[in-house]
Amino acid sequence: MRLASPGRRPARLAAMASVTLLSLAVGVLPAQASPAAPAPAAAVSAYAGLDRAALRQSLDAFHKAGMYGAYSSVRDGSDRWRGATGIADRDTERPTRPDFEHRIGSITKTFTAVAVLQQVDKGRIDLDAPVGRYLPELVKGERGRKVTVRMLLNHTSGIGDYIVPAFPGLLEDPGKSLDAHRLRRIAPEELARLGLAAPSPAKRGTHSYSNTNYILAGLLLKKVTGQNPETYITRHVIRKAGLKHTYFPRTPRINGPHSKMYESFYGYIDPARDYSVYDMSWAGTAGAMVSTVDDLNDFYRKLLGGKLLGADELREMKTTVPAHETEPGEEAGMRYGLGIYTLKMPSGWYWGHDGGVFGAGTWSLSTGNGRRQVSIGWNLMKYERFDEQGKPKPDPIGTALFQYIDGALAGAKKPAPRSSAAAPGTPAPLMQQRLVGPEQLRR
């Protein structure tokens, strides 16, 4: 896809952002992926326990739809299936592996929220205290008095996002901007200042996703613990969960075996470019972590099973607000808690989070007790395409991903009758580029 002329490029990106705000940033299911629409039999039939053949077929369908490569782990109690599909490197055609380390983006937020809630349990942080009590030098004035710690964690603070101002020229020439900042180190205080200066996305008290909230949460941890927040999270969350391949990277490189990670930026980077080597200080406690699909399942099982937080703190974490606008009397199909969300899929309600950074997407969902789980990582981001009017084109990749996730979670449940299946518009975090996505580009 050729880039538009420099004068038209920001307007085109802004138009795409406006049209796809719900489907990409908030996660409303696009029409072509709606469970109310016809789907291949393998996608809607229930798995009996872990039907390995059906899982393999569905994961391969994700690759055949156009995704370069993906790796996944599915669990039902003690039973586990792991699989990989496609390629990890377009040049060598090296195959993917299910044990790959992977940048997990905004799933980092769940880890950060657990760390903050641990400090709530110790009495060092009050969820309903104003942020200005802890960070008066950063969050000043009315915001410092009115925005609470809880509002940071459930994204109801009304604070803007730092992403676009942190990457000068992103809207004019995405590839040039991303390349220019590959090895840049940027302090979390600077990210916070950029976000606080950005336009407010919504009135305070209304959910509006902003990475600045979790940069501030990391700085809050630093203030009350006296430790680097990444160090604290490593010692008290990652190690407590017994995770072996989860970490904040110390260099721009990933430590273990991994895929290249390709960014298309809706076709404005053509061909898609590898960003697997990148300084992740720009994401910090909002999205810098690396993990594996097995570690993510371990983490969410222990979290939901009460192994990482006390009962009171876990209850606070699972106290949610609507994550998208609804019509009067309509139930929100996605609700955001403190660093975790609950999501209505055709097969039921699930808990988890998704993440997206340059070239890497991740999604992890579990049943409420953590028994049935799926985690998946993939290596091509912002592959969606738009017509000349900025309207989204059919998205077979997103459709295949949704069908894989819901099928993997369905387990031994019988598929719902077609009349009771979720209607078009059911929220599902398809290709949510929370860190660099249409919602940010729109502003």
Side-chain angles (χ1 to χ4, degrees):
M1 178 176 181
R2 295 178 61 188
L3 288 173
S5 64
R8 293 182 56 202
R9 202 173 303 147
R12 283 286 305 281
L13 285 170
M16 291 192 303
S18 179
V19 170
T20 60
L21 171 61
L22 290 178
S23 64
L24 298 177
V26 179
V28 173
L29 182 65
Q32 67 270 19
S34 168
V44 298
S45 61
Y47 299 130
L50 292 186
D51 185 334
R52 287 156 169 77
L55 287 165
R56 162 55 58 197
Q57 180 182 359
S58 186
L59 185 62
D60 285 344
F62 184 36
H63 169 56
K64 291 174 182 177
M67 178 53 57
Y68 292 159
Y71 15 93
S72 181
S73 180
V74 183
R75 285 188 185 169
D76 185 15
S78 60
D79 199 9
R80 181 181 71 172
W81 176 85
R82 299 196 306 168
T85 188
I87 58 172
D89 186 324
R90 288 183 318 193
D91 296 327
T92 66
E93 297 190 351
R94 171 171 57 96
T96 57
R97 289 170 26 189
D99 63 343
F100 272 172
E101 293 184 355
H102 186 74
R103 298 198 190 278
I104 62 172
S106 285
I107 294 177
T108 303
K109 291 179 174 68
T110 312
F111 289 78
T112 300
V114 169
V116 171
L117 286 164
Q118 288 176 345
Q119 293 302 302
V120 171
D121 181 46
K122 294 177 183 295
R124 295 174 181 166
I125 295 176
D126 181 345
L127 276 176
D128 295 309
V131 178
R133 176 189 298 180
Y134 305 100
L135 300 172
E137 68 285 359
L138 269 178
V139 191
K140 304 174 183 179
E142 183 182 3
R143 273 181 172 165
R145 297 188 301 271
K146 297 290 184 68
V147 173
T148 66
V149 175
R150 186 188 302 275
M151 288 176 175
L152 295 181
L153 299 184
N154 66 12
H155 297 291
T156 60
S157 69
I159 294 173
D161 205 296
Y162 63 81
I163 297 297
V164 171
F167 288 87
L170 186 65
L171 299 185
E172 289 74 26
D173 192 332
K176 182 178 179 181
S177 179
L178 298 189
D179 287 348
H181 297 103
R182 280 180 186 267
L183 304 180
R184 174 193 58 176
R185 296 292 295 171
I186 185 167
E189 291 83 359
E190 177 61 18
L191 296 175
R193 282 189 283 269
L194 291 171
L196 288 163
S200 179
K203 66 180 181 179
R204 190 180 306 121
T206 301
H207 177 88
S208 184
Y209 199 93
S210 173
N211 296 289
T212 311
N213 290 322
Y214 274 77
I215 294 297
L216 288 169
L219 292 170
L220 171 61
L221 276 174
K222 182 179 180 180
K223 189 67 173 284
V224 301
T225 67
Q227 300 179 43
N228 176 289
E230 288 87 352
T231 300
Y232 179 87
I233 293 168
T234 299
R235 291 174 177 171
H236 297 278
V237 182
I238 296 173
R239 290 181 184 172
K240 185 174 182 178
L243 309 181
K244 304 297 185 183
H245 304 282
T246 301
Y247 57 92
F248 284 96
R250 296 182 179 179
T251 75
R253 297 184 178 274
I254 296 174
N255 294 344
H258 61 277
S259 170
K260 288 190 173 182
M261 298 176 183
Y262 296 98
E263 178 65 43
S264 176
F265 218 95
Y266 313 112
Y268 281 85
I269 301 177
D270 185 15
R273 214 167 290 172
D274 171 34
Y275 290 106
S276 55
V277 177
Y278 215 97
D279 188 302
M280 295 301 294
S281 60
W282 67 271
T285 49
M289 288 177 63
V290 172
S291 189
T292 64
V293 288
D294 279 330
D295 265 14
L296 290 178
N297 283 345
D298 281 345
F299 171 66
Y300 279 108
R301 178 169 290 184
K302 290 178 179 178
L303 173 61
L304 295 169
K307 303 290 180 60
L308 303 181
L309 291 172
D312 290 343
E313 286 67 45
L314 185 56
R315 189 178 306 111
E316 294 283 13
M317 187 176 220
K318 296 174 77 172
T319 300
T320 61
V321 297
H324 60 99
E325 293 184 6
T326 61
E327 297 296 328
E330 179 188 359
E331 177 186 38
M334 181 178 182
R335 300 182 61 89
Y336 203 95
L338 307 184
I340 193 170
Y341 58 64
T342 183
L343 177 71
K344 186 177 184 181
M345 302 283 276
S347 58
W349 283 89
Y350 302 98
W351 288 94
H353 213 288
D354 61 285
V357 296
F358 307 129
T362 319
W363 196 0
S364 186
L365 290 178
S366 301
T367 53
N369 60 5
R371 178 180 176 84
R372 186 81 183 196
Q373 301 181 286
V374 59
S375 292
I376 184 172
W378 60 93
N379 62 3
L380 172 64
M381 287 297 279
K382 301 183 197 66
Y383 49 75
E384 298 87 353
R385 295 295 182 266
F386 304 83
D387 63 22
E388 291 301 315
Q389 286 71 46
K391 296 180 180 179
K393 294 182 177 181
D395 177 17
I397 300 178
T399 300
L401 173 61
F402 179 84
Q403 292 172 346
Y404 171 74
I405 290 288
D406 190 59
L409 289 167
K413 298 176 183 178
K414 294 180 179 179
R418 185 60 67 186
S419 61
S420 64
T426 299
L430 294 177
M431 307 321 110
Q432 286 186 348
Q433 285 91 41
R434 298 281 201 180
L435 287 171
V436 204
E439 184 172 4
Q440 286 77 28
L441 294 174
R442 187 176 68 123
R443 294 197 266 278

